[in-house]
Amino acid sequence: MGATMHKADWRAVIGRVAGVLVLLVGVLLVAGLCMATPLDNPVPNIFEPHSTPAESIRHLSHFVLGITGLIFLVVFGLLSYVVVKFRRRLADAEREPAQVYGSTQIELAWTIIPILIVVVLFLATARVIHAIQDAPKPAEAVEVTAIGHQFWWEFRYPKLGIVTANELHVPVSDPAHPTPTFLKLLSADTDHSFWVPQLAGKTDLIPNHPNGSWLDPHETGLFLGQCAQYCGTQHAKMLLRAYVDSPEDFNAWVRGQQQPANTDGKEAAGRHVFESTACLNCHAIAGTNGTGRFGPDLTHLMSRRTIASGAAENNVQNLRLWIQNPDSIKPGSLMPAMKLSDSDLDALVRYLETLQ
């Protein structure tokens, strides 16, 4: 019977060790996915920052992971030693283990050392939070008001007179002449969270409580973001695309967005469809009767690469499908199916195609 118990004890030890090893493999797998290149993994790499706030957060995360990883190794090593060294043996089956009572030195050590570790982590975190939240705003900074809607993003550039949706354009910031972008974050309905991992940490958008964030991107490119706060049925498809442009490209984009909407008389029929249906209750197009704020501004719709907050590529087929049956692209979206006749739908799509 003693031999059977001895084997059972060994099986329990092996089972625990195997469980820990499986956990470690899972952690390494997740870390590998996070470190994968964009070609291997389309998820933004949080360990590859391209902006000052994101770099500060990355450095802090490495510091915290280093300390907690060291704690894990020490605790796991001691636990493994104790489990193996003091395992139950056949010869000890009838004996009571030695009774060891408290040690003042050990109790002081396991009280003071964790307190010191927590204080160090708190001070390091507080320093980074202060540096990010209280960063001075230079006169050259670009100001953007980002408004979260169910389930899309509205971007307003008050000093430039630009209103767009879902695709944020900011200039690259030269370290010699910084041109950061400061964001005022608002919510039109419920809680949202603005997060572009490679450019900045996530910040909540709370109704009636303005928040702020800023970006200081160091290289051009497309950076993907996401609403990181569950806000309803289509939270997962409340995507955003942040384009970091060169100064020349950003100025060209600004000039294009400041142009009036196309008024090509050839598509007057499509404009009439827009102005005579429920479209204008939610959407705005400069120069028309449409001044709605519930949906994205469509003045320069075709300058965007996606529709439905990044859920589909912006092309004629998807645009037509989105107008006729939004649930086919984004189930649970708040845009109603327009149920237009084929002729009206064709005219409206042709008109929207001209809104460059």
Side-chain angles (χ1 to χ4, degrees):
M1 179 177 178
T4 302
M5 292 178 60
H6 182 65
K7 291 181 180 179
D9 291 340
W10 266 111
R11 283 197 294 269
V13 171
I14 294 173
R16 294 191 185 98
V17 173
V20 173
L21 291 176
V22 169
L23 177 62
L24 285 174
V25 171
V27 171
L28 293 175
L29 178 61
V30 171
L33 290 174
C34 291
M35 297 298 292
T37 63
L39 292 178
D40 300 324
N41 178 25
V43 177
N45 187 348
I46 62 175
F47 294 105
E48 189 180 347
H50 295 281
S51 178
T52 301
E55 287 180 354
S56 300
I57 295 171
R58 193 267 303 268
H59 293 153
L60 175 63
S61 68
H62 283 175
F63 178 68
V64 173
L65 287 173
I67 290 180
T68 54
L70 179 62
I71 294 172
F72 173 79
L73 291 176
V74 171
V75 173
F76 179 73
L78 291 175
L79 180 62
S80 300
Y81 172 78
V82 169
V83 167
V84 175
K85 176 70 175 177
F86 299 102
R87 68 187 183 276
R88 185 176 183 182
R89 294 180 172 85
L90 182 61
D92 300 329
E94 304 299 329
R95 292 175 51 195
E96 182 177 355
Q99 303 300 301
V100 179
Y101 295 94
S103 166
T104 302
Q105 293 82 1
I106 293 177
E107 290 178 358
L108 285 173
W110 70 38
T111 301
I112 294 174
I113 292 176
I115 290 176
L116 292 176
I117 292 173
V118 171
V119 169
V120 169
L121 294 177
F122 169 79
L123 293 176
T125 303
R127 183 181 66 83
V128 172
I129 291 175
H130 170 71
I132 293 176
Q133 291 191 346
D134 298 328
K137 181 168 65 174
E140 301 81 8
V142 176
E143 296 184 6
V144 179
T145 299
I147 306 172
H149 298 258
Q150 290 180 307
F151 303 95
W152 60 282
W153 298 96
E154 179 180 4
F155 298 115
R156 292 181 169 267
Y157 298 70
K159 292 185 177 180
L160 301 175
I162 295 173
V163 179
T164 186
N166 302 319
E167 298 184 1
L168 175 67
H169 283 259
V170 300
V172 69
S173 184
D174 183 356
H177 303 283
T179 311
T181 299
F182 277 72
L183 299 163
K184 181 179 180 181
L185 303 175
L186 307 173
S187 172
D189 34 54
T190 186
D191 288 355
H192 302 283
S193 193
F194 184 93
W195 189 34
V196 185
Q198 293 178 291
L199 298 183
K202 62 180 180 179
T203 306
D204 288 345
L205 288 71
I206 304 171
N208 302 316
H209 181 80
N211 267 339
S213 183
W214 62 285
L215 316 174
D216 187 33
H218 301 151
E219 64 178 67
T220 59
L222 168 62
F223 300 94
L224 302 179
Q226 171 78 52
C227 175
Q229 174 72 29
Y230 181 76
C231 55
T233 305
Q234 274 306 320
H235 155 73
K237 288 187 177 180
M238 188 172 168
L239 311 173
L240 67 94
R241 301 163 70 87
Y243 290 93
V244 179
D245 301 325
S246 66
E248 297 77 15
D249 289 343
F250 179 73
N251 291 334
W253 178 81
V254 168
R255 288 193 297 270
Q257 296 295 308
Q258 291 174 336
Q259 296 298 315
N262 181 49
T263 56
D264 188 348
K266 296 179 180 178
E267 302 303 337
R271 173 172 172 168
H272 175 72
V273 173
F274 173 80
E275 294 182 319
S276 60
T277 60
C279 297
L280 54 75
N281 292 332
C282 296
H283 298 284
I285 297 178
T288 71
N289 295 330
T291 57
R293 293 284 299 274
F294 292 103
D297 188 295
L298 304 179
T299 302
H300 298 287
L301 170 65
M302 300 311 292
S303 67
R304 303 168 199 158
R305 299 186 185 180
T306 63
I307 58 174
S309 191
E313 183 181 353
N314 189 5
N315 56 43
V316 176
Q317 293 77 18
N318 287 338
L319 188 59
R320 180 186 176 91
L321 181 60
W322 175 243
I323 295 171
Q324 196 71 342
N325 184 16
D327 279 356
S328 63
I329 294 178
K330 201 168 183 177
S333 66
L334 301 186
M335 178 172 169
M338 298 307 298
K339 299 181 180 179
L340 301 174
S341 65
D342 288 343
S343 59
D344 284 348
L345 180 59
D346 291 338
L348 178 59
V349 170
R350 286 196 302 269
Y351 170 62
L352 295 178
E353 282 186 87
T354 68
L355 303 178
Q356 299 291 336

